[in-house]
């Protein structure tokens, strides 16, 4: 509450500066190459998958007809980095955390993909732009979650699997501070430690964006519907509204994930499985 003077607004900046300044420790018995490579692989994978996210109908890094396929494929490689970090650290706590991550991913990536198949079949496209356009209409009336009776259970399965995929409570067993010191993060410090946390929050945002595209209309909202009716769909303002709509929906999802972390206790690994 004190950093920056007003309700601690500068605390996040101070944490970032502190992490840049901290010493980068490597345990003597660690596999040095894998230990250094793991956080880079984790961060590179999640940022690479984010390149497949369109920012609006006209703003995107690359228009991909197999957008969601590429995002899931690249995003899943973050698990390799986590397992690599646990193995390379030469620590029992790190190895336990890495093995838990491997078990969780094997268990939950399959229902995650199967849950996504429901809106994929209903909307008929892997492209995030096409999926959003298929849900155009006034005030969410055409959003996928309202158009098919199978959408609600599919979304609930997707939401639970996304929590496990992103290592969020109550499925944060790979870290499990009360049991494993810090799990696969135990031997990491400084900027490499922050890479793993940047990946975790980026993955949360990514999963929430996918959820908003395939169940809650993507860019579509009352504002975009009104602008289309006025013939303003080719303007910069329209693209800004699309971008803001998508970010707002995704941040609602991120808030709910953080809320769950505040609310629910961590479950045991056998209960997770």
């Amino acid at each position: 509450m004190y950093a920056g003077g007003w309700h601690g607004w500068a605390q996040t900046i101070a944490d970032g500066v502190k992490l840049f300044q901290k010493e980068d420790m490597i345990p003597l018995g660690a596999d040095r190459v894998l230990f250094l490579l793991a956080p880079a692989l984790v961060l590179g994978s999640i940022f690479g998958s984010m390149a497949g996210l369109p920012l609006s109908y006209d703003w995107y890094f690359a228009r991909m007809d197999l957008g969601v396929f590429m995002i899931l494929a690249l995003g899943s490689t973050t698990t390799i980095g986590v397992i690599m970090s646990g193995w390379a650290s030469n620590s029992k706590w790190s190895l336990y955390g890495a093995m838990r991550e491997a078990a969780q991913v094997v268990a939950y990536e399959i229902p995650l993909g199967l849950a996504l198949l429901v809106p994929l079949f209903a909307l008929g496209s892997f492209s995030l732009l096409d999926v959003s356009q298929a849900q155009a209409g006034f005030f969410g009336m055409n959003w996928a979650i309202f158009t098919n009776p199978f959408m609600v259970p599919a979304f609930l399965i997707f939401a639970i699997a996304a929590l496990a995929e992103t290592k969020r409570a109550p499925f944060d067993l790979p870290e499990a501070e009360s049991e494993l010191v810090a799990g696969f993060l135990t031997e990491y410090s400084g900027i490499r430690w922050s890479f793993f946390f940047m990946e975790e929050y980026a993955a949360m945002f990514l999963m929430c964006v996918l959820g908003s595209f395939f169940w809650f209309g993507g860019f579509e909202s009352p504002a975009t519907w009104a602008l289309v009716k006025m013939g303003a769909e080719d303007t910069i303002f329209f693209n800004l509204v699309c971008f803001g709509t998508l970010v707002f929906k995704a941040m609602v999802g991120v808030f709910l994930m953080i809320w769950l972390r505040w609310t629910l206790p961590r479950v045991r690994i056998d209960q997770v499985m």
Side-chain angles (χ1 to χ4, degrees), residues 88-132:
S89 295
N90 191 34
S91 162
K92 288 186 175 66
W93 306 120
S94 300
L95 187 60
Y96 278 138
M99 291 301 99
R100 286 179 172 189
E101 168 73 358
Q104 273 187 214
V105 167
V106 169
Y108 283 92
E109 268 202 348
I110 295 169
L112 181 82
L114 288 174
L116 268 172
L117 282 179
V118 177
L120 280 171
F121 284 150
L123 298 167
S125 178
F126 282 86
S127 167
L128 300 181
L129 290 169
D130 293 346
V131 160
S132 183

Side-chain angles (χ1 to χ4, degrees), residues 135 140 142-149 151-152 155 214-217:
Q135 300 173 72
N142 295 331
W143 287 1
I145 197 162
F146 302 132
T147 58
N148 189 305
M151 286 295 188
V152 174
F155 176 72
F214 283 96
W215 278 277
F216 298 103

Side-chain angles (χ1 to χ4, degrees), residues 10-22 190-191 194:
Q11 183 62 53
T12 306
I13 300 169
D15 282 339
V17 172
K18 180 194 75 171
L19 286 170
F20 273 110
Q21 294 176 335
K22 286 183 76 171
I191 192 65
S194 71

